[in-house]
Amino acid sequence: MMSREDILRELELLPVWQLRNPVAAPETELMQSSEQLVNQQTTSDEQEAEVTSVKVRLIVSEDGQWLFVLKAQQTEAAETLLHNMLAAVTIKVGQEMAEAQITSIVDFQPKVIVAMGEDVAQQLLALTHPLAQLRGKTHELKETPVIVTYAPDALLQNTADKAHAWADLCLAKFTIAHL
């Protein structure tokens, strides 16, 4: 059986990746998250209208294998986190479109698409499921694997989800390695 370090080395994630102590979310945050999930499920019609208006930002890796799709506008802190996430999976940015339509994705032929954020994932996959149901598995868009994860700004609001985002990035790296 492989150790955690062996697995990370196999995925070429060491020495960039470092284990951090997981931060447990306070009970009140969990309750708020549950309430938000209930609200999201009861207002799916409103979400569909919102999803169609999402402007996206496209980031293509230097080797063209990765395509990250996320909201066009982000805070400076979210931008820093995004670049740290890319560095952790050894992604060098090759091309970037600051504000694009979701249809622009057909111009690229990546090996994997990483949809960052619920609105972006819903629009990209034409689904209305909450992020919790979309992430953690591989979807397909015109025969290209799509991995759904949290948007950087959402991770700044709930740092406990960083471990899930890391798992999603590892899933994307695994998917590329096994194509």
Side-chain angles (χ1 to χ4, degrees):
M1 180 178 223
M2 294 177 69
S3 71
R4 176 183 295 211
E5 187 173 314
D6 292 336
I7 292 169
L8 293 173
R9 221 173 276 298
E10 175 102 8
L11 292 171
E12 298 175 2
L13 298 175
L14 283 181
V16 175
W17 185 82
Q18 296 177 1
L19 180 63
R20 295 184 183 171
N21 292 333
V23 177
E27 192 171 314
T28 54
E29 283 183 27
L30 292 174
M31 290 173 61
Q32 288 174 348
S33 296
S34 298
E35 288 173 11
Q36 289 172 349
L37 183 58
V38 169
N39 290 339
Q40 288 172 353
Q41 290 172 342
T42 58
T43 59
S44 63
D45 292 338
E46 292 173 11
Q47 282 183 340
E48 283 184 43
E50 246 181 65
V51 167
T52 58
S53 64
V54 175
K55 293 263 189 211
V56 295
R57 174 179 170 195
L58 304 176
I59 299 173
V60 183
S61 65
E62 195 173 67
D63 61 7
Q65 293 187 21
W66 296 71
L67 174 61
F68 291 84
V69 184
L70 59 156
K71 278 189 178 179
Q73 300 293 326
Q74 290 195 92
T75 64
E76 188 176 327
E79 198 61 32
T80 300
L81 178 58
L82 173 63
H83 287 288
N84 289 341
M85 291 168 75
L86 295 175
V89 286
T90 63
I91 301 294
K92 292 182 182 175
V93 176
Q95 184 179 359
E96 190 169 342
M97 295 177 67
E99 201 168 295
Q101 295 296 327
I102 205 82
T103 55
S104 302
I105 290 174
V106 297
D107 297 339
F108 302 97
Q109 295 179 338
K111 286 191 176 180
V112 71
I113 298 171
V114 179
M116 302 184 85
E118 183 176 73
D119 292 344
V120 170
Q122 288 173 339
Q123 184 176 9
L124 186 65
L125 299 170
L127 298 171
T128 57
H129 303 299
L131 185 69
Q133 290 179 3
L134 295 172
R135 59 161 303 279
K137 54 187 150 200
T138 304
H139 303 272
E140 270 197 14
L141 179 69
K142 297 183 181 180
E143 299 180 13
T144 302
V146 177
I147 307 297
V148 176
T149 193
Y150 296 90
D153 55 348
L155 292 172
L156 291 173
Q157 292 173 5
N158 189 2
T159 57
D161 288 331
K162 286 184 178 180
H164 297 297
W166 177 249
D168 296 333
L169 291 174
C170 288
L171 175 60
K173 194 156 180 105
F174 178 84
T175 300
I176 285 178
H178 290 86
L179 287 179

